[in-house]
Amino acid sequence: MAIDAYILPFPDGVMGFVDANPARLPVRGGRVTLALYGPAEATAADQAALRARFIESLGNIIRSEGGYAAVFWPRLWWTVGGLLSLVFLVLVALPSGLSLVWLTFLVALLALPGGVGPLVRGWRARRLLRRLRRLHDVEVVPGRSRATADRMAALWTVAGRLRGSALDVLDQLESHSLEARWSGPARLYGHYRLWLEQGAALAPGLPGLWHRWRARFLGGAPPAPVIAVSLPPTDTR
């Protein structure tokens, strides 16, 4: 099964976008197949550029998630051992009164890894790496869906008429994609629009106290909801 991939217009150039969650890539026989759509029929240069950047993107994900996966088991055993020690200390302190029990509880709790989030993130990272390590080849072929090609042509036509700031252009591209019921590009434009609105110091889609709390106690978001890679400007025609 081929995954749709696109060459999309962006305010500062073009973006290659693979419409798939890295943790759900359908690896068949060690291979992932990408069906590429662009402003015109994809050339061999387009396919090679996207393939190289896609493999580089997966390599970056493996490097970034490898640390979480490596400490999963030590952190898990540390947490289990800490909880057992906590129960034991509370039982020992119980005859001495409730105040000492609470003090023992707080001291032992502070010695544990912070929150369930790192454990969840480590478990997700291990699953992701197992999937990606089965991948040995990436094949890029021209997309053959007429409906998708028509959507792509309409998007590039709209992009050629847009003027204004990068934020305005992204907002209009997102709105057009939503009107066309094209969820993948709409999601990508939405991520980058939010990134510009919140500031470059924040990761796309992860601003605010809620997301920091979720990362600590619930494991945060998946490594990347989309795979997006910058492509050379020569990919536009």
Side-chain angles (χ1 to χ4, degrees):
M1 180 181 70
I3 305 168
D4 285 346
Y6 312 112
I7 297 175
L8 297 174
F10 255 67
D12 55 352
V14 296
M15 184 71 75
F17 168 49
V18 179
D19 193 6
N21 186 323
R24 299 178 183 274
L25 284 177
V27 181
R28 299 287 185 271
R31 171 181 293 182
V32 165
T33 301
L34 307 178
L36 179 59
Y37 297 88
E41 185 172 354
T43 65
D46 293 330
Q47 296 174 34
L50 185 82
R51 182 180 184 276
R53 298 300 178 91
F54 176 70
I55 293 173
E56 180 184 351
S57 177
L58 293 183
N60 291 336
I61 292 173
I62 290 173
R63 283 191 293 273
S64 66
E65 296 302 303
Y68 293 100
V71 299
F72 171 73
W73 284 112
R75 190 181 291 273
L76 177 62
W77 291 120
W78 181 13
T79 302
V80 171
L83 290 175
L84 292 176
S85 300
L86 175 61
V87 172
F88 175 75
L89 289 173
V90 169
L91 291 175
V92 169
L94 204 56
S96 302
L98 191 59
S99 59
L100 187 59
V101 169
W102 277 111
L103 181 61
T104 304
F105 179 81
L106 290 176
V107 170
L109 196 61
L110 290 173
L112 293 174
V116 181
L119 284 175
V120 177
R121 183 66 182 271
W123 176 71
R124 286 176 173 170
R126 287 175 58 83
R127 289 184 59 196
L128 172 64
L129 294 184
R130 279 199 301 270
R131 180 176 293 271
L132 294 184
R133 282 168 182 159
R134 297 202 305 268
L135 177 60
H136 301 296
D137 189 27
V138 176
E139 179 185 25
V140 183
V141 299
R144 297 304 181 191
S145 169
R146 185 71 259 169
T148 303
D150 290 343
R151 281 176 169 177
M152 180 65 70
L155 180 64
W156 275 90
T157 300
V158 168
R161 299 195 297 260
L162 296 180
R163 299 294 182 270
S165 67
L167 189 59
D168 291 337
V169 171
L170 285 171
D171 184 60
Q172 294 176 72
L173 290 173
E174 181 187 5
S175 297
H176 173 82
S177 300
L178 289 172
E179 290 173 4
R181 297 185 178 182
W182 203 6
S183 61
R187 190 168 67 253
L188 180 68
Y189 289 130
H191 280 313
Y192 279 88
R193 175 185 54 76
L194 184 60
W195 181 69
L196 285 180
E197 288 176 345
Q198 299 293 336
L202 296 173
L206 293 177
L209 291 174
W210 156 247
H211 294 284
R212 289 196 290 272
W213 182 90
R214 186 179 67 175
R216 182 173 179 81
F217 294 102
L218 300 178
V226 293
I227 301 175
V229 292
S230 298
L231 292 176
T234 52
D235 288 331
T236 58
R237 289 178 293 281

